Amino acid sequence: MSMKNRTASSDFILLGLLVNSKATGIVFAVILAIFVVAVTANLVMIFLIHMDSHLHTPMYFLLSQLSIMDTLFICTTVPKLLVDMISIQKTISFVACGIQIFLYLTMIGSEFFLLGLMAYDRYVAVCNPLRYPVLMNRRVCLLLAAGAWFGGSLDGFLLTPITMNVPYCGSRIIDHFFCEIPAVLKLACADTSLYETLMYICCVLMLLIPISIISTSYSLILLTVHRMRSAEGRKKAFTTCSSHLTVVSIFYGAAFYTYVLPKSFHTPEQDKVVSAFYTIVTPMLNPLIYSLRNKDDVTGALKNLLNVESAFQRTTK
């Protein structure tokens, strides 16, 4: 069936990450490897945090929420991308496209807010260590996590219906590897300038709120660290915060390019590369960055789990 005939259906056609590339096999293998590593690393992190009592702290509770978001985030786009890379028909139904947009917006929005709240957690830990157990008790942690999930889902419920109610009466070919709103709106046969302006304002606010929390938190942390006389205390504070700052820089940098920079700075190829980075690579990097920066806690939890498993096997023999 020709491309022209396929566009006559109500389905969209995803051109994919690479168009007419001879390196498809290599790229497929790399993306599959990243996907497996990302899902495995995040699930292991969630399991360790749940099983090891030493990791039952506010920081690791919020980190477990980040791992859940990253797992759902990468599962929203990558499986479809991998299937499309080895199949002839690269179609996605109108409903499936809407679901993908909703899940994608919910996960990315939730992660925006969660990273901001994680900065607040670091602020309390460094600047108010004696009051930390009270200020970041279990009830507060649950409320913070629920707030992050609610903020992300609100973004999904707000933007998805509007996007899917725009008339698409022309080409059905999306020059992307998933249904990202800017790429989908290029197919609209109505004026979407007002909606794009509203979406731009919404995205700026969603970036501005957590970035304000992060900036304020780390400004206060820097002042506190500067006043510390203990070199060991400074090192501990730096180690505690550096992993979070690394994740924030990577994630917000890519999001800023996609949703804040004007259209004149964008090309379809650049958009796909940046989107691939924060939808495929970032979910893999997050657990690895936190594991390396907090390797004593994570490796200790893993060793404890393995010791319990080996002891259990000896008793059952």
Side-chain angles (χ1 to χ4, degrees), residues 34-103:
I34 292 173
F35 176 73
V36 172
V37 170
V39 173
T40 304
N42 280 294
L43 290 179
V44 168
M45 185 69 77
I46 295 166
F47 183 72
L48 288 177
I49 292 170
H50 177 73
M51 295 298 295
D52 195 290
S53 59
H54 295 96
L55 301 184
H56 292 175
T57 64
M59 183 184 81
Y60 282 104
F61 170 75
L62 294 176
L63 181 56
S64 70
Q65 298 300 303
L66 181 66
S67 291
I68 293 171
M69 291 174 187
D70 280 334
T71 304
L72 295 173
F73 194 23
I74 197 169
C75 289
T76 300
T77 58
V78 173
K80 174 61 178 170
L81 169 62
L82 292 172
V83 170
D84 285 348
M85 292 182 76
I86 57 174
S87 63
I88 298 174
Q89 291 197 8
K90 306 177 189 298
T91 58
I92 182 169
S93 70
F94 187 83
V95 173
C97 187
I99 293 172
Q100 194 176 61
I101 288 174
F102 172 76
L103 292 175

Side-chain angles (χ1 to χ4, degrees), residues 87-152:
S87 63
I88 298 174
Q89 291 197 8
K90 306 177 189 298
T91 58
I92 182 169
S93 70
F94 187 83
V95 173
C97 187
I99 293 172
Q100 194 176 61
I101 288 174
F102 172 76
L103 292 175
Y104 163 78
L105 289 174
T106 299
M107 292 307 112
I108 196 172
S110 299
E111 200 155 330
F112 281 159
F113 290 117
L114 185 69
L115 289 173
L117 296 173
M118 289 174 78
Y120 170 75
D121 168 70
R122 294 301 83 213
Y123 155 72
V124 178
V126 174
C127 300
N128 295 283
L130 297 179
R131 300 183 62 196
Y132 183 65
V134 177
L135 294 175
M136 292 296 295
N137 58 50
R138 181 170 179 78
R139 181 172 175 273
V140 172
C141 290
L142 289 172
L143 287 173
L144 292 177
W149 282 102
F150 175 77

Side-chain angles (χ1 to χ4, degrees), residues 234-259:
R234 290 185 179 185
K235 182 181 178 182
K236 185 177 179 181
F238 174 77
T239 303
T240 302
C241 300
S242 58
S243 53
H244 180 255
L245 276 175
T246 304
V247 170
V248 165
S249 301
I250 294 171
F251 193 73
Y252 280 86
F256 182 86
Y257 169 87
T258 302
Y259 293 103

Side-chain angles (χ1 to χ4, degrees), residues 14 97 101 104-105 108 155 159 163-164 166 168 173-188 192 195-197 199-200 203 254-263 266-268 270-272 274-275 278:
L14 297 168
C97 187
I101 288 174
Y104 163 78
L105 289 174
I108 196 172
D155 187 39
L159 297 181
T163 303
M164 302 315 291
V166 171
Y168 299 101
I173 303 173
I174 301 174
D175 191 5
H176 214 300
F177 63 90
F178 72 102
C179 289
E180 192 170 30
I181 291 180
V184 174
L185 287 179
K186 290 179 181 178
L187 308 183
T192 60
Y195 171 50
E196 289 182 40
T197 302
M199 185 177 68
Y200 176 82
C203 292
F256 182 86
Y257 169 87
T258 302
Y259 293 103
V260 178
L261 283 184
K263 287 183 179 180
H266 292 248
T267 66
Q270 290 174 343
D271 287 349
K272 285 191 279 188
V274 173
S275 296
Y278 72 82

